[in-house]
Amino acid sequence: MGKIWRRILIGIVILAAIIGIVAKLLEPEEYTNTKSRQNTECTITQRVLDEAGKMTDKQKKNLEALIAEKEQLIGCDIVILTINEPGLDSYDEIRDYAQAYYEDNKFGWNKANGDGIIYVDDWKTGYTWMCTTGLAKTRLDDTDTEQIVDSANEIVNDNPYEAYTSIVNNAATMIQTGRSSYVQINPIIVFLAAAVIGAIFVGVQLIGHGGKDTVLRSTYAKGGVQMNEKQDIFLHSHVTRTKRPSKSSGGGGKVGGTGGHGGAGGRH
């Protein structure tokens, strides 16, 4: 028995090592900007444009400081714009507005209409849109942008400043790692996962061995038992099909952009 458990332990260690190696190989390359801002066409120095008046002066100042830090880190302009526009009453309209605002004001870290993000929140209609351009579009896929927007919309009605801060932090982190779904795996968790898999495997083997039927029909019958007739009987079958409800979040959402932009929108 001792040899068996030693083999099991060795197998768990090997499995943990394999999981760790695979996780490391799948780890996306982390990005950190090393270049200074090159765009000389954009004349707007502010990054927090609170036209809807949802933040205090102190909150806007703190958010400006955070954005300046994150912009240098990832090499992307980050713009937060709040508005009160009753006419932007659809995802397409808020998307086009965000993209046009970014282009018209020539935002972009490396050039006009270059690397960057703009998040527009229309407090009159509740529609929001995050537009990604250049590097931001490359590093953030639809799942990333949708997750950023949805997370902000969950709290924006109660705390706009916290919601916009989360957008800046989440976007910067995801651009650095390259993928929001990537989770750094703790070695202890890897070993425990391998141990659980090993324990399940051992348990299945022991149960299968313990429940093995060692008495055959031929054990107590001379010459065994012959089955002269074989019959399958289908008594009853009842299958119920139900439609799986679709996952919803707030007022729904939309992903994608036009004219070289990416992004996602939501509603609160």
Side-chain angles (χ1 to χ4, degrees):
M1 181 63 71
K3 291 182 178 180
I4 294 176
W5 285 109
R6 279 197 298 272
R7 291 175 181 175
I8 292 173
L9 180 59
I10 293 173
I12 292 174
V13 172
I14 294 174
L15 182 59
I18 293 174
I19 294 175
I21 293 172
V22 171
K24 189 65 178 178
L25 291 174
L26 294 177
E27 179 180 335
E29 181 182 355
E30 186 170 295
Y31 169 81
T32 300
N33 173 59
T34 58
K35 299 179 180 179
S36 59
R37 192 170 189 269
Q38 301 296 316
N39 184 0
T40 59
E41 297 185 56
C42 178
T43 59
I44 298 179
T45 57
Q46 287 178 286
R47 293 293 182 266
V48 181
L49 305 163
D50 186 23
E51 296 179 7
K54 294 300 177 179
M55 290 178 283
T56 65
D57 290 341
K58 182 179 180 180
Q59 288 174 336
K60 287 186 284 187
K61 183 178 179 180
N62 290 340
L63 191 55
E64 286 276 7
L66 176 65
I67 289 175
E69 174 190 338
K70 298 301 183 182
E71 283 185 339
Q72 183 63 48
L73 182 67
I74 62 176
C76 291
D77 281 4
I78 304 175
V79 182
I80 302 293
L81 171 63
T82 70
I83 56 177
N84 281 311
E85 294 289 343
L88 303 179
D89 201 19
S90 72
Y91 288 113
D92 290 345
E93 288 172 344
I94 190 73
R95 178 201 63 201
D96 293 345
Y97 183 93
Q99 293 177 175
Y101 193 94
Y102 191 89
E103 293 175 2
D104 292 345
N105 290 284
K106 302 179 180 180
F107 288 109
W109 181 266
N110 57 328
K111 62 180 181 179
N113 196 26
D115 302 335
I117 296 166
I118 183 171
Y119 184 82
V120 180
D121 189 352
D122 187 352
W123 280 85
K124 185 62 69 173
T125 64
Y127 281 101
T128 65
W129 191 269
M130 188 176 80
C131 169
T132 59
T133 305
L135 177 68
K137 180 186 176 184
T138 302
R139 301 286 291 184
L140 300 176
D141 60 20
D142 289 346
T143 301
D144 298 329
T145 53
E146 191 174 23
Q147 180 179 325
I148 293 171
V149 171
D150 289 344
S151 296
N153 281 343
E154 289 177 0
I155 60 176
V156 70
N157 289 325
D158 296 324
N159 194 331
Y161 170 71
E162 183 179 346
Y164 303 144
T165 299
S166 75
I167 290 170
V168 175
N169 284 324
N170 290 336
T173 298
M174 292 178 187
I175 287 175
Q176 271 205 293
T177 60
R179 192 172 300 277
S180 65
S181 57
Y182 167 67
V183 179
Q184 292 187 359
I185 302 177
N186 190 303
I188 296 177
I189 296 177
V190 172
F191 184 81
L192 290 176
V196 170
I197 295 173
I200 293 173
F201 176 77
V202 172
V204 171
Q205 292 298 313
L206 292 176
I207 292 173
H209 181 74
K212 186 177 180 181
D213 187 6
T214 58
V215 180
L216 303 176
R217 282 193 289 263
S218 60
T219 302
Y220 302 108
K222 186 176 181 180
V225 178
Q226 293 182 346
M227 300 296 292
N228 296 323
E229 184 178 355
K230 185 178 180 180
Q231 185 177 20
D232 294 326
I233 303 175
F234 183 76
L235 296 177
H236 181 69
S237 176
H238 179 72
V239 179
T240 302
R241 292 185 175 88
T242 58
K243 183 178 179 180
R244 184 171 62 183
S246 59
K247 182 180 179 182
S248 61
S249 57
K254 183 177 180 180
V255 295
T258 62
H261 301 284
R267 194 178 184 189
H268 63 86

